[in-house]
Amino acid sequence: MRESRRAASSPSVLDRFWTAVRCRLQVSRYCREVLEAAGHAPTAAPGQLPPRTLVVGNDPVRILLFGEGVTVGYGVGSRAEAIDGALAKRIAELTGRGVILENRARPNVRVDEVVESLGGVGTHTFAVGVWSPALTETLERLTLQGWRSRVTAMLQQIRADSDMPLVIAQLPVPSGTHPSVLILRPWYARLNRTIAEVAARFPDVVTVELGTVVVPMRSGDPVLGTADYRRQADPLAEAVRRALWRSPSASADALSPGR
């Protein structure tokens, strides 16, 4: 009798699943509210800044940034302070070439909206593309299978347009001991493994780990700053450098600014 009462009071597998789903949704909403309350508007908001960062130099390479996540630019006031400036500068240092970096990231771009968010730009005109997933969507995905299907479909759409080498910025792993972080950390790890598995099935698509990042948990907490973007630009720039060797658009003529 005592055992039957215990069994009746213990949560079922389905109950635990929906509890985890509600927790992720709550974390997603909470993080967005904190960012808005702290005044950290994304630097990629429409009409705020021009869509391009230019590093002057000879024989320029054209790099496309798109998606959301690290490419949006939370916590800083200009593209020069965000991933744009750090990444363009580092690529120029590694390659000895100029860089024309076009950032078409938008806040909250879901995976199935990524290709549309490019606005009709031909990916074949870029030497390398860098995609970063949306943080909010990854918190709201209910199954890994659904996430895998969407990432696969997005890569198939891009490959239908061109064979541009693609670098995927994996989700930075949140650090700290806040209960929300303890929920996010294993979930992000599973999503990153899924991204890597999908990328491995496509030619010239690689993933890059961005390390850890502090997640703001209340108004006034710091978010990504210039130093963080410099740190994340290093592995991305190295992956871009390697991808340039395989790029079908690596000639000076194809990469000319006057396209």
Side-chain angles (χ1 to χ4, degrees), residues 76-119:
V76 293
S78 71
R79 288 196 184 280
E81 299 172 303
I83 193 68
D84 305 54
L87 183 59
K89 181 179 180 181
R90 188 62 181 141
I91 293 172
E93 290 172 350
L94 289 174
T95 63
R97 299 175 66 174
V99 176
I100 300 172
L101 187 148
E102 185 163 329
N103 190 332
R104 290 182 175 258
R106 290 191 332 206
N108 304 320
V109 175
R110 298 169 61 90
V111 178
D112 56 359
E113 300 169 336
V114 163
V115 173
E116 180 185 354
S117 74
L118 294 177

Side-chain angles (χ1 to χ4, degrees), residues 226-245:
T226 305
D228 298 292
Y229 288 120
R230 287 199 198 103
R231 176 173 52 83
Q232 294 177 339
D234 285 344
L236 286 174
E238 178 57 34
V240 168
R241 183 189 68 80
R242 293 195 301 268
L244 285 171
W245 289 97

Side-chain angles (χ1 to χ4, degrees), residues 133-228:
L135 299 177
T136 50
E137 180 184 16
T138 55
L139 291 171
E140 296 173 4
R141 296 307 308 156
L142 301 186
T143 67
L144 288 176
Q145 182 55 46
W147 174 245
R148 181 181 289 106
S149 297
R150 289 202 171 196
V151 173
T152 300
M154 184 269 291
L155 292 178
Q156 288 172 336
Q157 284 181 288
I158 290 178
R159 277 292 168 263
D161 181 60
S162 75
D163 53 357
M164 170 188 71
L166 183 62
V167 174
I168 298 178
Q170 289 197 350
L171 296 159
V173 179
S175 63
T177 58
H178 190 281
S180 296
V181 170
L182 299 180
I183 295 172
L184 291 176
R185 192 178 296 134
W187 179 239
Y188 275 23
R190 287 194 288 271
L191 291 173
N192 281 337
R193 284 196 296 270
T194 302
I195 291 174
E197 291 168 4
V198 173
R201 302 204 300 265
F202 288 82
D204 292 330
V205 177
V206 298
T207 60
V208 176
E209 295 182 6
L210 296 184
T212 61
V213 64
V214 176
V215 177
M217 288 302 162
R218 60 182 182 274
S219 180
D221 281 357
V223 294
L224 285 172
T226 305
D228 298 292

Side-chain angles (χ1 to χ4, degrees), residues 7-31:
S9 61
S10 62
S12 67
V13 173
L14 186 60
D15 289 336
R16 290 197 297 270
F17 169 77
W18 284 113
T19 297
V21 169
R22 284 192 293 271
C23 284
R24 286 207 299 274
L25 291 174
Q26 185 177 3
V27 169
S28 171
R29 296 189 190 101
Y30 185 56
C31 287

